[in-house]
Amino acid sequence: MICTQCGRENPMDAAFCAGCGAPLPQPSTPPYYYAQPNMPPYYYPQPCSPSSRWIAFILCFFVGVLGIHRFYVGKIGTGLLYLFTGGLFGIGWLVDIIMIACGSFTDMAGLQLKI
Ligand SMILES: [Zn+2]
């Protein structure tokens, strides 16, 4: 953490410069804090899930009734539910295929899947 006022190097977790006492820039926040209403969206791009939408789609299409696509994006709870109910009797499976296809399916952290 380099001080912008005097150029002195400070510990990473320091809030103020040890040399001149100026407030230091804080370490960057995790990606899910980016989309805050008071910040311009073009400056803080929307993060997306590390899980691939195409892999989720293929998994959902072929083995979606077993909830495999939900395990893939980390939704273990509903994945198990799908596993035991046959994709909510086919209805949840159908809804998921449509949601993945139109890009509104999210992972366990609520992030949209990457293309
Ligand atoms: Zn300083």
Side-chain angles (χ1 to χ4, degrees), residues 4 13 16 29 33 43 55 59 77:
T4 51
D13 56 350
F16 296 94
T29 50
Y33 289 134
Y43 195 68
I55 294 174
L59 287 174

Side-chain angles (χ1 to χ4, degrees), residues 30-54:
Y32 38 83
Y33 289 134
Y34 280 3
Q36 291 178 16
N38 57 339
M39 293 178 173
Y42 51 85
Y43 195 68
Y44 295 90
Q46 278 276 349
C48 72
S49 172
S51 303
S52 163
R53 190 172 141 193
W54 287 112

Side-chain angles (χ1 to χ4, degrees), residues 8-99:
R8 184 193 165 109
E9 197 163 337
N10 291 282
M12 277 306 288
D13 56 350
F16 296 94
C17 174
C20 67
L24 295 169
Q26 292 306 297
S28 59
T29 50
Y32 38 83
Y33 289 134
Y34 280 3
Q36 291 178 16
N38 57 339
M39 293 178 173
Y42 51 85
Y43 195 68
Y44 295 90
Q46 278 276 349
C48 72
S49 172
S51 303
S52 163
R53 190 172 141 193
W54 287 112
I55 294 174
F57 184 80
I58 290 163
L59 287 174
C60 187
F61 192 85
F62 289 106
V63 284
V65 286
L66 302 176
I68 306 300
H69 60 294
R70 289 196 165 255
F71 289 110
Y72 170 66
V73 298
K75 290 174 168 174
I76 307 297
T78 49
L80 286 171
L81 187 69
Y82 274 46
L83 185 62
F84 292 116
T85 61
L88 295 179
F89 312 105
I91 299 167
W93 172 65
L94 202 63
V95 169
D96 280 357
I97 285 189
I98 294 165
M99 283 181 70

